[in-house]
């Protein structure tokens, strides 16, 4: 081979600069134009396939500048924009623009943060990020952990660490079948679906979950928790873990973490907190009472790609004693000569979780934490909560809206048509049908975006504000949109009857 290699994948310096600058220009216009765009173009998969075309795999390469410019157009013309100020669906935040720059930088470096030898500074940055996340939510910076792709993975990572810590030592060699007692997990009935996946995937089975009922404020009923644990011990089972939720996915309720911590302590169970959504709110001094007990958690899952506004993907598992992660995930294959460097204090993140090769997702979180700072985040999160309360108040004061719940930055509400007074079962059934139809219509309409929650037996509209672009004016306009589209939906349903 000659010294110069004919190379179709390299982009030379001048071309990279030209295309890169152009892309940054396009993205900056995109961010700036967001408030004037529709939240989604809401095309059907069929329409999108037509736009995309049905070409077969290219045999030969194509010019880079054309590819980047057509991909930008394709995406900016046919996407849902969770960075839009009127996006309140599920728990998906507006992404911090610094995260977009960080991802470009991280991909250019392409550090493999599985082993420190491959990612010397990136590993240090991840370590610092994890320490800062612990400080941010108010637990000891001695918690250790690992960044993962999101909330599900963060909770899975902790679930397995809990099992290693609490199951018989033989579990690593014998698996679950070697244990004579069935391992039991406890969580409230409003826990996110990750717990089901974990129990099924890791061989415990969905029947190993005790779905503890909630009290009148929708928090886990502590008395029922204690009773379930007592019964299970009596029946020869092995309780091992209780999951408290700090901000449930439907209505944002934070469990009584202090009481759960006390139960776990007295029964020697692992205390895990799913804080994927709500735990960043612990940074607000006025809310420390709500999160009391957090410092006693054996593990916590905060999720930077939710309320820290990190672009997807970024979740985190924090463990009070990180040795439990090492005990669970460490292995020393002959082809990794990492052990020598460990003596020098290296951290090899492949030993802290499920992934082996790992990207540099810490960079976007680390940079945003510095760009905004603790006080900046406190202000942003506080404002999101205030906007959610404002949503609730406007809903409450509107004759055609029933405000149902408000916790952290989640509000649930229902549209009630004019003159729809009679209170009976048929009315409730109709309101559920109407509000379900309304959620679907609003989601495809593109004026605003929300999702749904079932509260009691009520099908509700649900807005979750993890959005630094939303203003009071957006909220006022959204109330009007809900009433306008709600009235139209009601009229259509009446015509169909
Ligand atoms: C409380 C809670 N836990 C876990 C998850 C799962 O997070 P992810 O979608 O990042 O996997 C969510 C998602 O909304 C959540 O709200």
């Amino acid at each position: 081979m000659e010294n110069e290699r004919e190379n179709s994948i390299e982009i030379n310096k001048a071309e990279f600069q030209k295309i890169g600058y152009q892309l940054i220009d396009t993205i900056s216009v995109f961010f700036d134009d967001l408030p004037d765009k529709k939240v989604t173009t809401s095309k059907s998969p069929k329409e999108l396939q037509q736009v995309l075309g049905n070409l077969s795999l290219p045999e030969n390469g194509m010019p880079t500048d054309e590819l980047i410019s057509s991909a930008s157009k394709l995406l900016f013309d046919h996407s849902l924009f969770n960075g839009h100020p009127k996006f309140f669906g599920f728990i998906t935040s507006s992404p911090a623009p610094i995260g977009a720059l960080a991802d470009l930088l991280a991909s250019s470096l392409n550090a493999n943060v599985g082993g420190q030898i491959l990612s010397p500074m990136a590993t240090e940055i991840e370590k610092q990020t994890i320490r800062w996340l612990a400080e941010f939510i108010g637990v000891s910076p001695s918690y250790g952990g690992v960044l993962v792709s999101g909330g599900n993975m963060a909770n899975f990572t902790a679930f397995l660490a809990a099992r290693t810590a609490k199951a018989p030592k033989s579990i690593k060699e014998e698996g679950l079948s070697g244990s004579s007692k069935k391992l039991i997990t406890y969580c409230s009935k409003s826990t996110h679906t990750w717990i089901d996946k974990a129990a099924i995937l890791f061989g415990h089975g969905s029947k190993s979950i005790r779905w503890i009922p909630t009290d009148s404020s929708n928090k886990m009923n502590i008395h029922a928790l204690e009773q379930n644990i007592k019964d299970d011990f009596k029946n020869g089972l092995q309780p091992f873990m209780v999951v408290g939720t700090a901000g449930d996915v439907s209505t944002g309720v934070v469990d009584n973490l202090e009481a759960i911590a006390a139960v776990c302590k007295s029964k020697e169970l692992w205390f895990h907190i799913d804080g994927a959504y709500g735990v960043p709110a612990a940074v607000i001094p006025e809310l420390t009472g709500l999160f009391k007990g957090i410092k006693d958690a054996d593990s916590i899952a905060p999720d930077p790609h939710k309320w820290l506004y990190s672009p997807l993907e970024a979740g985190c598992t924090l463990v009070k004693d990180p040795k439990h992660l090492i005990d669970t995930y460490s292995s020393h294959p002959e082809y990794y000569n990492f052990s020598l460097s460990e003596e020098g204090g290296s951290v090899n993140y492949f030993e802290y979780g499920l992934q082996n090769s790992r990207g540099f997702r810490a960079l976007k979180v680390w940079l945003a934490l510095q760009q905004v700072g603790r006080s900046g985040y406190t202000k942003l999160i506080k404002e999101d909560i205030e906007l959610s309360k404002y949503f609730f108040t406007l809903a409450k004061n509107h004759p055609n809206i029933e405000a149902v719940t408000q916790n952290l930055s989640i509000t649930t509400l229902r549209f009630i048509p004019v003159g729809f007074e009679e209170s009976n079962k048929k009315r409730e059934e109709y309101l559920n049908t109407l509000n379900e139809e309304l959620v679907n219509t609003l989601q495809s309409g593109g004026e605003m975006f929300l999702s749904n929650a079932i509260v009691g037996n009520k099908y509700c509209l649900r807005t979750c504000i993890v959005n630094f672009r939303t203003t009071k004016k957006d909220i006022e306009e959204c109330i009007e949109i809900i009433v306008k589209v709600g009235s139209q939906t009601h009229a259509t349903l009446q015509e169909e009857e």
Side-chain angles (χ1 to χ4, degrees), residues 91 150-153 155 192 194 245 247 249 274 276-277 303 305-306:
I91 307 180
N152 262 32
M153 289 304 293
N155 287 309
H192 187 271
W194 72 265
T245 298
V249 60
D274 176 5
Y277 158 52
D303 217 0
H305 73 197
K306 293 191 170 67

Side-chain angles (χ1 to χ4, degrees), residues 10 106 125 158 173 201 272 295 301 313 318 367-368 388 412 442 483:
E10 185 64 279
I125 287 176
E173 292 76 32
L201 289 174
H272 173 68
K295 289 187 168 110
E313 302 166 341
L318 292 173
L367 285 174
S388 174
T412 61
L442 287 169
V483 174

Side-chain angles (χ1 to χ4, degrees), residues 188 190 214-215 217-220 222 244-249 251-258 260 271 273-275 277-282 287-294 307 385 406-410:
S188 102
S190 45
T214 47
D215 60 20
S217 51
N218 216 21
K219 293 172 189 268
M220 186 193 286
I222 302 298
T245 298
D248 92 87
V249 60
T251 61
V253 165
V254 178
D255 277 331
N256 184 340
L257 305 175
E258 195 179 21
I260 298 175
F271 175 29
I273 297 179
D274 176 5
Y277 158 52
V279 88
L287 293 186
T288 43
L290 189 62
F291 294 93
K292 212 163 167 214
I294 191 178
W307 221 348
I385 293 173
Q406 200 292 315
N407 296 287
L408 295 180
S409 67
I410 297 181

